Amino acid sequence: MTGRQKVLLAALAGLLVVLYLVAVGGGRHDRGDPAARPGWLGRLEAGGAAVDPAEVDVDCPPPAPPPSPSAEGTVVGFTTGCLLRVADPGGLRTLVLRSRAAFEVTAPAPRGAEVTVHDEVTPGDDGTAVAKVAVDRATEVALGCPGGGGCVVTVARS
C-alpha cells in the first residue's frame, strides 16, 4: 500500500468517525411527542389522510346498539367484540379509532404483508385511547373489549 493510499484510508476513517459522532450527538434523547405533527418521513407513510367513517361498515353482534353518526365520526358500542369492514380506500390511508376506555384492535398489515397486528390500546394522559390502523385495501378490523364489560369506540375523521 502506497503512502497516498494510507492517507486516503486514514481520511476516510476519520470522516466516518466524525459522521458517527455528529449523528449520535445531534440525535434526540427524548421519546418524542406522539401528538405532534409527523415529520417529512411520517407524511410520506399514509399521506396524512384518514379513512372516511362513512366508508366503514360496522357489524357488531346483538345486543349492541346500532352505530350512530356524530360530528367526530361514527360511534360504535359493543359488549365483547365488533367487526369493522373498511371499503377499499384507493391508497394507503389511516383508520383512526378513539375511545375513553381501553379496547383491543386486530388488523392485517398493509402492502400485502402476511402479518396480523393485535394491540390493546389504553387511554393516554388526556384520557383518550387512540389506535391508528394503516389500511390500503378493503379489509376487516376486529375490535374487542377487554373484560367484556362493554366498550364505545368512535371511528374518527382524524
Side-chain angles (χ1 to χ4, degrees):
M1 184 178 277
T2 67
R4 186 175 210 177
Q5 290 174 330
K6 288 180 184 178
V7 170
L8 285 174
L9 188 60
L12 180 62
L15 179 63
L16 288 174
V17 169
V18 168
L19 288 174
Y20 175 78
L21 292 174
V22 168
V24 171
R28 292 175 51 158
H29 299 290
D30 62 349
R31 294 195 61 154
D33 181 9
R37 292 192 56 194
W40 66 271
L41 190 57
R43 285 192 293 272
L44 291 176
E45 185 176 326
V51 172
D52 184 2
E55 296 178 3
V56 179
D57 184 37
V58 179
D59 184 17
C60 300
S68 60
S70 74
E72 291 109 22
T74 302
V75 179
V76 179
F78 54 95
T79 311
T80 56
C82 192
L83 188 64
L84 305 178
R85 289 186 180 91
V86 181
D88 188 355
L92 188 60
R93 301 285 183 262
T94 305
L95 176 65
V96 181
L97 306 168
R98 298 181 186 277
S99 179
R100 290 280 180 205
F103 66 97
E104 296 172 349
V105 61
T106 303
R111 310 266 189 207
E114 294 183 20
V115 176
T116 300
V117 180
H118 176 81
D119 192 18
E120 183 172 331
V121 186
T122 56
D125 293 338
D126 65 349
T128 303
V130 178
K132 294 183 177 181
V133 180
V135 177
D136 66 348
R137 64 187 180 280
T139 191
E140 294 181 344
V141 176
L143 299 180
C145 194
C151 290
V152 175
V153 174
T154 301
V155 179
R157 298 183 191 287
S158 63

